[in-house]
Amino acid sequence: MSIENAAARVIPQSAARHKPMSGWFLACVVAAICIWGGNWPVMKFGSHYIPPLWFAASRFLSAAALSFAIAFALGKLRLPTRAEWPVVAGVGILQMGLFTALVTGALHFVMPGRASLIAYATSIWVVPGAALVLKQKLNAQQSLAAVCSYAGIAVIVLPALLHADLHSMIGYLMLGAASLSWAANILQIKLTPGVKLDFSLLPWQTLVAALPLCVLALLFEGGPVFLLDHRSWYVIAYTGPLATALTFLIVLQMTQRLSPVTVSVCMLGVPVVGLTLSSLIFGETLSPDLLLGMGLLCLGLLLPALPGLGGRRVAFKA
């Protein structure tokens, strides 16, 4: 779960100086994609014995502790400027805290493979949002991408609608709200192009996400008694320090070294890995409707990154 794609699109293409991708760096990129994809079945596993709010709070609290330590060791620990604080708050609250809390709650109702596909489909909100908020006109390529994204979501959710599965629909609604939360943050970032999102802001973003989640968790879920279960420590170690703090180091390097198009295509691997692992671990069926929906969503995410029909591109998260 990340700001890398939106941040990459904030930096003008003409200003980018992309470094060649070494074999070691390529291995790090593949590792980051696999770690993020693996985070979905890990969250599903942890949701059985960690309450949703505490799950999200512990993830970002542990990530904040590690990212503060890393930033201090690298000499990059600093206070955000006045112009940076609104974006720090937006990322921490919308993209990290609210998004993760909703996704973790949704995993009580739906399988992680479908969940990862819907949560990553922020384009269904970014497309109309860019037209209304950013006053961007969609070209034919972007319009086709939007149609593919909407069709993909419809195909994935349709089985629950046809079978009147209220249990699944609750999960889908939570995932839709999570996707909307992330999309709102993308639009916020696009409205503040002067703020560069680098690693020095990550400790504060994770802290902003963690603190309100801890308060809400204490109010609604009581004390963190789940910590008495040793399994919770393994889950938190994966989702927090590994899948949030350390992986962000790699992804931020991706945005500095690679083009936004390459970053977008790379990030398409995350839900694919999540879906594959979910099918292997939880027996989630790769049904024709799920494969069709995944194909349509991937097409909708790839189309805006392809050269072709001209016009300004809308910032999609992949």
Side-chain angles (χ1 to χ4, degrees):
M1 13 192 134
S2 72
I3 52 177
E4 67 286 354
N5 300 316
R9 289 168 175 80
V10 171
I11 304 173
Q13 290 279 354
S14 60
R17 296 292 183 267
H18 306 304
K19 301 178 182 179
M21 194 184 327
S22 65
W24 170 249
F25 182 65
L26 177 61
C28 290
V29 170
V30 173
I33 292 171
C34 291
I35 289 170
W36 268 357
N39 196 41
W40 287 91
V42 169
M43 288 192 296
K44 177 67 174 179
F45 177 72
S47 68
H48 292 306
Y49 48 88
I50 304 177
L53 291 174
W54 270 123
F55 200 142
S58 59
R59 173 181 181 177
F60 291 110
L61 196 59
S62 59
L66 183 59
S67 57
F68 267 105
I70 294 174
F72 178 78
L74 296 177
K76 293 186 177 182
L77 184 60
R78 64 176 179 85
L79 279 171
T81 65
R82 179 180 294 183
E84 290 171 335
W85 269 117
V87 177
V88 168
V91 171
I93 294 172
L94 295 174
Q95 183 188 136
M96 292 183 173
L98 184 57
F99 177 88
T100 304
L102 287 168
V103 163
T104 306
L107 288 175
H108 288 274
F109 302 96
V110 296
M111 295 297 286
R114 290 179 184 265
S116 64
L117 289 171
I118 297 174
Y120 269 74
T122 54
S123 58
I124 64 173
W125 308 109
V126 172
V127 169
L132 295 174
V133 179
L134 303 179
K135 307 301 181 183
Q136 292 183 349
K137 292 183 178 180
L138 300 182
N139 57 35
Q141 194 169 347
Q142 294 163 343
S143 299
L144 180 59
V147 171
C148 290
S149 297
Y150 289 124
I153 291 294
V155 169
I156 292 171
V157 177
L158 192 59
L161 292 176
L162 292 177
H163 295 91
D165 186 351
L166 180 60
H167 190 266
S168 297
M169 284 307 302
I170 293 173
Y172 289 139
L173 288 173
M174 295 178 73
L175 290 168
S179 182
L180 175 60
S181 175
W182 197 322
N185 183 234
I186 291 176
L187 295 176
Q188 180 201 15
I189 292 171
K190 292 297 292 182
L191 288 170
T192 53
V195 176
K196 184 180 179 180
L197 296 168
D198 55 23
F199 180 74
S200 64
L201 298 182
L202 180 60
W204 303 102
Q205 291 162 353
T206 51
L207 185 63
V208 166
L211 292 180
L213 284 170
C214 286
V215 173
L216 290 172
L218 283 170
L219 290 174
F220 293 101
E221 296 174 348
V225 295
F226 61 89
L227 294 176
L228 297 175
D229 189 334
H230 71 278
R231 294 173 298 180
S232 66
W233 290 95
Y234 299 125
V235 172
I236 293 169
Y238 188 100
T239 60
L242 184 60
T244 303
L246 291 180
T247 309
F248 257 87
L249 287 173
I250 301 172
V251 175
L252 286 170
Q253 285 295 310
M254 287 173 62
T255 62
Q256 293 171 0
R257 297 190 183 201
L258 309 177
S259 70
V261 171
T262 304
V263 174
S264 296
V265 173
C266 287
M267 287 299 101
L268 285 175
V270 176
V272 174
V273 171
L275 182 60
T276 303
L277 290 176
S278 178
S279 66
L280 294 173
I281 297 172
F282 298 105
E284 184 171 2
T285 304
L286 295 176
S287 57
D289 63 294
L290 185 57
L291 292 174
L292 176 60
M294 180 170 65
L296 289 169
L297 284 175
C298 288
L299 182 60
L301 292 166
L302 278 171
L303 279 173
L306 296 176
L309 303 180
R312 294 182 65 186
R313 288 177 180 167
V314 176
F316 284 87
K317 170 197 167 282

